[in-house]
Amino acid sequence: MLRGVRSIVWFVFPVFLLFGSGLVTAHHGWGWATDQEFEITGTVVSKRLGNPHGEVTLEVDGERWLIEVGQPWRNERAGLTADLLSEGREVTVHGHRSAKEGERLVKAERLVINGQDYALYPDRPS
């Protein structure tokens, strides 16, 4: 019985490492975004702030764009609050867009709301 369990573990574990780790790295970090700076301005239609990071949906020329903002602690440190991202508010986002053709997704480095900068990554030029 123990021998059968060991065989399964020795098979399943490497398979998990091969495929499971790819799922984790596919989402986190910056690898999915272009290196090129990107700027977009739109109107907030919805938001979800929380872990692993917040998301704000902007309406831009009739299209919806998903903007990844920071983790709760990063947003707080930048002074970015839920009230600042209320529906109807105009927001300019500086960051990096998805490298996937046609995907309307941006990783925000800095937001400008009412002329005020909110730098999520103050050590990154944007």
Side-chain angles (χ1 to χ4, degrees):
M1 173 71 171
L2 187 57
R3 187 175 191 179
V5 171
R6 282 187 192 160
S7 296
I8 290 171
V9 168
W10 282 109
F11 175 76
V12 171
F13 185 66
V15 170
F16 172 76
L17 288 178
L18 182 63
F19 295 107
S21 63
L23 295 173
V24 171
T25 59
H27 179 75
H28 291 92
W30 295 77
W32 58 268
T34 65
D35 290 336
Q36 199 171 32
E37 290 288 325
F38 183 74
E39 178 183 302
I40 192 167
T41 300
T43 303
V44 175
V45 294
S46 68
K47 69 176 174 294
R48 183 202 58 78
L49 300 178
N51 287 312
H53 53 75
E55 296 176 343
V56 177
T57 303
L58 296 182
E59 180 85 23
V60 181
D61 298 327
E63 296 181 326
R64 300 249 168 139
W65 284 76
L66 183 63
I67 311 301
E68 286 190 1
V69 294
Q71 305 91 331
W73 64 267
R74 187 177 299 279
N75 295 335
E76 184 179 323
R77 184 182 71 187
L80 191 61
T81 65
D83 288 342
L84 287 170
L85 297 169
S86 59
E87 286 186 31
R89 173 111 38 194
E90 184 176 272
V91 176
T92 298
V93 177
H94 298 264
H96 299 269
R97 71 179 298 174
S98 171
K100 186 187 259 187
E101 185 71 32
E103 185 172 42
R104 293 186 299 269
L105 174 63
V106 178
K107 176 72 170 178
E109 290 180 328
R110 180 171 59 93
L111 287 83
V112 180
I113 304 169
N114 294 332
Q116 176 71 40
D117 279 347
Y118 299 90
L120 299 170
Y121 297 89
D123 56 329
R124 294 177 68 109
S126 66

